[in-house]
Each structure stands twice: as structure tokens, then as C-alpha cells.
Amino acid sequence: MVTVGDNPGRLKSESSFAHLCGVAPIPASSGKTTRHRLHRGGDRRANQALHTGVIVRLRYSDNARSYVQRRTSEGKSMPEIIRCQKRYLAREVFTALRRDYRALTT
């Protein structure tokens, strides 16, 4: 919530929130290899909070564990899986923040 600040209306989409938190995927492909990495900019504390949330989910959530098993069978590495999970969690946090902000303003 500190990352969003006093004006959550400035974030128009969940992709802008992901970019602000430093979890927006950036193409980092070379040659025949197609992959993505996370945006290094943004609020590092928000990125750390999302990382902690993902690690807790991977440890305790059955859905997250099945996601890891499915993605590793597809050939993804653990850092790639964590990157995808961070983006997914940022999407969930953004929708929750917008919902709470709308409830407060109406």
C-alpha cells in the first residue's frame, strides 16, 4: 500500500502496478532462446513483499505446488516460475487495492 501512495487512481492498469513493483516481464531473449526477466526498476520493497508472498504460497498452498509441478514438467526453471508467480500475485494485489479504494471513495 505504501508503494501506491496517496493517489491510487494514478495506476490505470495492473500492468502499470506490476511495473511500479518491479515485476513486469521484459524480454531477455538471445538467439533461439526465448525468455523473460523482471524489470529491475521500481519499488524494491514492494518487490520484496511480493517475493515473500510467493515463497509463502509455494510452501503452503497446494495450488501453488501443483503449478510448480506442472511448469517444471514443461521445462521451466524455478526462477522463471517465481517470476510468473510474482506477476500473478501483483495482479491479485492490484485488484484488491482497487476494490478497497472504490469502497472507501463511494
Side-chain angles (χ1 to χ4, degrees), residues 3 16-23 39-47:
T3 300
S16 64
F17 178 71
H19 196 79
L20 179 65
C21 291
V23 295
H39 173 65
R40 298 286 182 209
D43 188 356
R44 302 306 299 160
R45 288 181 289 177
N47 192 329

Side-chain angles (χ1 to χ4, degrees), residues 7-20:
N7 187 10
R10 69 188 170 110
L11 299 173
K12 302 297 181 197
S13 66
E14 56 94 15
S15 63
S16 64
F17 178 71
H19 196 79
L20 179 65

